[in-house]
Amino acid sequence: MASIVSRLRTSDAAFIRNREAYEPLRARVAAAREAAIAGGGAKARATHAARGKLTARERINHLLDPGTPFLEIGQLAGHELYDDVVASGGIVTGVGMVRGRPCMIMANDATVKGGSYYPITIKKQVRAQAVARENALPSIYLVDSGGAFLPMQEDIFPDEHQFGRIFRNIAEMSAAGLPQIAAVMGSCTAGGAYIPAMCDETVIVRENGTIFLGGPQLVQAATGEVVDAQSLGGADVHTRQSGVADHYARDDIHALALVREIVARPRKRATLVPPSTPAEPLYDPAELTGIISANPKEPIPAIEILARLLDASEFVPYRERFGPTLLCGTGAIGGYPVGVLINDGVLYSESAQKAANFIELCSQTGVPLVFLHNIAGFMVGREYETGGIAKHGAKMVNAVSTSRVPKFSLLIGGSYGAGNFAMCGRAFGPRLMGMWPNARTSVMGGEQAAFVLAMVRQQQLERQGKAMTADEAEAFKQPIRQHYENHSDAIYSASRLWVDAVVDPLDTRGWLTLGLAMAAAAPQEETRFGVFRM
Ligand code: COA
């Protein structure tokens, strides 16, 4: 297999400038991560510790096989989203190894408003369950939560993908043979009680764990009965009398050890060993930040990116000379074979047709697809419309939608409009979706949106016999540009779970390798494509 030959010169002024410009982006992401990891405030953490409880992240550390990585999903969820600080969206979720098996772990953070569920908490847990289901992972619920965040109940309770969906997912995954395991390490009230009650197997911690449909306050209000939380639904009641839980744990550490034992039961499972020996790229991934231009309007040389992401920098291009604004080809990451699609300019009919064919080929051979977005969109204009660019783009979108191989999407630059769809945006179900700190996404660029809206306004005014001066037009456009600027960056996107993670360029190979390993353990469905418009 041929290795890529990089033409990069690290002594170039542009390389040095780009690299320096990248550091403030990194610093912003690092600050957001720190806030996410801190959980609730110092007071809440102290109260939590005084009860003999580990934090959500400590619990995960104890649950994982020592020295193995944790593929965190949605770490920045909730960042600056509400008036309250909802660190990590109030729940820590991700994939990690438990007794040699990759598992989805969902741990409520009770230091964040008692672990109650904000809308973003639900969105994050439902997303985590979707990842578990798609990759055939067991789910482990470390429960410590006050249930629905009551002031926002209408954004939590009634709708299709809200609270009830978590319980339905548990039932459906259990029915599909995917283990559902709960450890109740704190509160678990009202609807939340259905998490342990519906799981296949449940552990409960003495003194701290409680499960009940209505807490002591509600019971008193409803029936006048006065009862304390432990007598109502503590570990003793549920493991000795009610049968709502199966295993009695002395403390958090004991509960986590019991969960590890449950996961270790013999079950059918796929192998996790990568098919080929992983190899580092020939070119240093640390050079990536000098390659991404500080000016987002400048292109990012696709081949230089691949040279620093693929094993041994080896890449076999597919139809290299046809539709060259989209590079397609095969290589490996962390020993796992991948088909890569990376933008190197706008999408034309040829590039879209090539991509659709390439996706067909990878689907025939079961090779996972990696989409690296840096895309302004499809080419516009009469020539291209006449050439049927809409139908060629539709073929690519069709192939992306229906191919059943695992797909991974990473925004390395801009990702706009239909270009985002064709490159497997969020709506197209990539197994994981990430953004580099410099990346942006919106329906179109801010400048273009400002221009379009100003034109519409101008036409309205013309119909009334009026016009905008150049200054008025500029005053009209500026807030639109600013709005797009503020609402399209990586942290903004991650806080709303449009993406699973902000991924540092240097960590990209590791992140993709964990994702590929996660997907490799699941059986692959057969692809059946829809009708392609020729
Ligand atoms: N909705 C909104 N806010 C909630 C909440 C909920 N369901 N559960 C807890 N909170 C808030 C508290 O108001 C408090 O906010 P503050 O820090 O701004 O004062 C914070 O979360 C911590 O709660 P606190 O009661 O001080 O913590 P705790 O660890 O002693 O107790 C619970 C935790 C969960 C046992 C307790 O808060 C509780 O019983 N909550 C209500 C549970 C319930 O009935 N839920 C029904 C959901 S359908």
Side-chain angles (χ1 to χ4, degrees), residues 281 288 305-311 332-333 372 436 505 508-509 512:
L288 286 167
I305 302 294
L306 294 181
R308 287 155 186 85
L309 289 184
L310 296 176
D311 282 9
I333 296 176
L372 301 171
W436 277 356
T508 301
R509 274 177 52 78
L512 283 170

Side-chain angles (χ1 to χ4, degrees), residues 51 113-114 116 146-151 187 189-190 217:
R51 290 173 175 159
K113 282 278 180 188
S116 56
F149 180 71
L150 293 171
S187 252
T189 312
Q217 308 92 328

Side-chain angles (χ1 to χ4, degrees), residues 236-252:
D236 200 52
V237 171
H238 287 311
T239 54
R240 203 193 287 275
Q241 294 174 292
S242 73
V244 172
D246 309 294
H247 308 276
Y248 180 90
R250 291 183 302 277
D251 53 22
D252 281 12

Side-chain angles (χ1 to χ4, degrees), residues 375-377 414-417 440-453 480-481 483-485 488:
I375 181 65
S415 180
Y416 298 103
R440 289 192 170 269
T441 187
S442 51
V443 69
M444 59 174 74
E447 192 56 53
Q448 291 80 354
F451 185 82
V452 170
L453 288 170
I480 299 169
R481 272 192 221 110
H483 181 87
Y484 271 69
E485 177 80 13
S488 63

Side-chain angles (χ1 to χ4, degrees), residues 225-353:
E225 185 186 3
V226 178
V227 59
D228 67 275
Q230 282 299 314
S231 313
L232 187 62
D236 200 52
V237 171
H238 287 311
T239 54
R240 203 193 287 275
Q241 294 174 292
S242 73
V244 172
D246 309 294
H247 308 276
Y248 180 90
R250 291 183 302 277
D251 53 22
D252 281 12
I253 302 272
H254 184 210
L256 297 165
L258 289 170
V259 171
R260 287 175 56 81
E261 290 304 318
I262 297 168
V263 175
R265 299 240 170 84
R267 291 184 168 100
K268 283 183 286 185
R269 65 172 95 166
T271 167
L272 285 174
V273 182
S276 62
T277 312
E280 288 303 312
L282 299 183
Y283 302 96
D284 189 353
E287 290 166 353
L288 286 167
T289 59
I291 294 169
I292 305 157
S293 175
N295 176 0
K297 293 200 172 70
E298 281 177 19
I300 300 176
I303 203 76
E304 299 291 350
I305 302 294
L306 294 181
R308 287 155 186 85
L309 289 184
L310 296 176
D311 282 9
S313 304
E314 285 177 350
F315 181 62
V316 182
Y318 169 72
R319 286 207 231 166
E320 196 174 9
R321 296 146 65 100
F322 184 83
T325 56
L326 179 70
L327 266 60
C328 301
T330 45
I333 296 176
Y336 293 93
V338 286
V340 185
L341 298 93
I342 178 169
N343 303 110
D344 212 6
V346 292
L347 283 161
Y348 288 91
S349 293
E350 293 78 9
S351 32
Q353 289 175 72

Side-chain angles (χ1 to χ4, degrees), residues 196-213:
M198 295 196 62
C199 276
D200 304 346
E201 235 168 302
T202 291
V203 178
I204 183 165
V205 178
R206 82 170 169 203
E207 284 168 18
N208 283 330
T210 52
I211 307 172
F212 30 62
L213 294 183

